[in-house]
Amino acid sequence: MEETKVRERIDDFLEHLSVEKGYSPNTLSAYKIDLTQFLDHLMALAEGRRWVWAGVEKSDIISYIMRLKEERQYASSTVARKVAAIKSFFHFLWREGHISDDPTATLDSPRVEKRLPRVISFEEVKTLLAQPSKGGGAKGLRDHALLHLLYATGMRASEAVSLNLDDLNLASASVRCWGKGSKERIIPIYAQAVEALREYVERGRREFLKPENPGERALFLNQRGRKLTRQGLWLIVKGYVKEAGLPEGVTPHTLRHSFATHMLDGDADLINVQQLLGHASVSTTQIYTHVSSERLREVYDRSHPRAKE
């Protein structure tokens, strides 16, 4: 099979995920990278010989997995993601009739070492949220509103930058968020976040608008008057993390983790937290119960040092 035809199968699969499954651009990009990397491995093994997807065997995939683990030394979570992409791809090929047997049908997924998500304390969150106000101006108003929104809702970075003005309802203190698979959820916002967003929308946002694009509807704008990008959001948070003296590893996702953990610390219902985060399964949310328990033990140990003896 010509290389072009081989790659076309991957393109067909990605189009299926986009059109029929509603996968986000970020997820599609990750799948494309993973499958292209796998294809490059297979083509290197073929050494210029012609081959077809139907000729790929389970042993070829296992050897690739071992290479990822031993030679490339990828983390177990990364290997598991790449294997999941390969399994999904071959299932698609089998269902579409491009192959008669699925070589991944009996392939076990790699075990992933579960790591507790990183969170910061409520006091550290307060310190971080206070940083933008020190700079003032439209940028300070935007960043103050952005940080408050991230912590108030537990949104993913991609969800926050995708918000439009119409998604924000200050009167009802809520925001409409479009999550994975274009699923809609309405998230309440606490009063301080509402006020920060109101000040930004009424006083700060207009300074970001440009004459050539006055009708821009994105909620958070960059200096060019366009929708703030996910990378731009990450850089904003990274800058304030440094100013606040917090660890470098604190990211926008840390605020999402902290939101969930602090909610459970405050006796919030697990199902409610699941819905706010947009998790498809409550099992995904349950990891935060472990984080919450770990935090409570740390507090107890600091208050009762003799308990460790």
Side-chain angles (χ1 to χ4, degrees):
M1 181 182 285
E2 296 178 2
E3 181 178 345
T4 301
K5 291 292 184 182
V6 170
R7 296 187 184 275
E8 280 181 0
R9 294 287 182 254
I10 294 178
D11 292 337
D12 292 342
F13 173 61
L14 295 175
E15 183 177 4
H16 161 74
L17 295 182
S18 175
V19 176
E20 298 186 27
K21 298 291 187 178
Y23 281 27
S24 70
N26 292 330
T27 301
L28 293 174
S29 177
Y31 268 70
K32 183 173 184 177
I33 291 172
D34 292 341
L35 293 174
T36 300
Q37 187 178 27
F38 176 55
L39 173 59
D40 291 342
H41 170 78
L42 294 175
M43 295 188 74
L45 290 180
E47 297 180 336
R49 297 190 301 272
R50 294 168 63 88
W51 61 278
V52 293
W53 284 114
V56 178
E57 299 180 353
K58 181 178 178 180
S59 58
D60 298 323
I61 302 172
I62 292 176
S63 69
Y64 176 63
I65 295 173
M66 297 306 296
R67 180 175 176 236
L68 292 176
K69 289 181 176 180
E70 297 175 2
E71 294 183 26
R72 305 295 294 274
Q73 296 186 336
Y74 279 118
S76 60
S77 58
T78 302
V79 174
R81 189 199 72 212
K82 292 179 180 296
V83 172
I86 292 170
K87 292 180 72 171
S88 183
F89 174 60
F90 275 104
H91 184 67
F92 167 79
L93 293 179
W94 174 79
R95 193 174 64 248
E96 294 294 311
H98 298 305
I99 59 177
S100 57
D101 294 298
D102 181 355
T104 68
T106 59
L107 181 68
D108 293 330
S109 298
R111 294 183 60 183
V112 179
E113 297 177 3
K114 287 190 175 180
R115 293 181 296 176
L116 294 180
R118 182 175 197 165
V119 302
I120 56 178
S121 69
F122 181 67
E123 290 301 318
E124 289 173 318
V125 170
K126 286 175 61 178
T127 300
L128 179 62
L129 297 182
Q131 298 309 308
S133 299
K134 296 178 180 179
K139 183 179 184 300
L141 291 174
R142 180 199 65 187
D143 297 349
H144 189 227
L146 177 60
L147 292 183
H148 265 293
L149 183 72
L150 289 172
Y151 178 64
T153 63
M155 280 188 186
R156 303 174 179 90
S158 57
E159 294 171 342
V161 298
S162 297
L163 292 174
N164 290 323
L165 283 171
D166 296 339
D167 295 320
L168 187 63
N169 191 330
L170 296 177
S172 65
S174 65
V175 62
R176 177 177 56 190
C177 173
W178 301 94
K180 292 183 176 180
S182 299
K183 293 182 179 179
E184 176 186 357
R185 63 187 193 275
I186 305 296
I187 310 175
I189 312 171
Y190 56 72
Q192 195 174 357
V194 170
E195 187 56 31
L197 285 159
R198 188 188 309 281
E199 289 190 12
Y200 164 63
V201 171
E202 294 180 355
R203 299 199 293 118
R205 187 179 176 277
R206 68 185 66 177
E207 295 191 31
F208 287 98
L209 289 172
K210 301 300 179 184
E212 60 271 21
N213 191 31
E216 175 62 61
R217 300 302 295 167
L219 176 58
F220 294 109
L221 306 178
N222 59 26
Q223 298 293 342
R224 296 184 299 279
R226 298 292 183 179
K227 180 176 74 173
L228 185 69
T229 64
R230 189 175 66 154
Q231 181 181 16
L233 184 152
W234 276 67
L235 291 174
I236 289 170
V237 174
K238 182 179 179 180
Y240 289 121
V241 164
K242 184 176 181 180
E243 290 181 18
L246 300 179
E248 290 185 2
V250 173
T251 68
H253 222 64
T254 305
L255 287 175
R256 176 173 167 86
H257 295 323
S258 302
F259 159 82
T261 303
H262 296 169
M263 287 281 289
L264 292 171
D265 284 348
D267 294 327
D269 181 74
L270 184 65
I271 300 299
N272 185 33
V273 175
Q274 174 201 354
Q275 294 171 344
L276 293 174
L277 292 174
H279 285 159
S281 170
V282 72
S283 62
T284 307
T285 317
Q286 282 178 326
I287 191 171
Y288 294 110
T289 62
H290 300 302
V291 178
S292 189
S293 298
E294 287 283 339
R295 283 166 49 77
L296 289 175
R297 279 198 294 271
E298 290 175 4
V299 172
Y300 181 85
D301 288 343
R302 286 198 298 268
S303 303
H304 305 78
R306 297 175 62 85
K308 295 182 180 180
E309 297 177 0

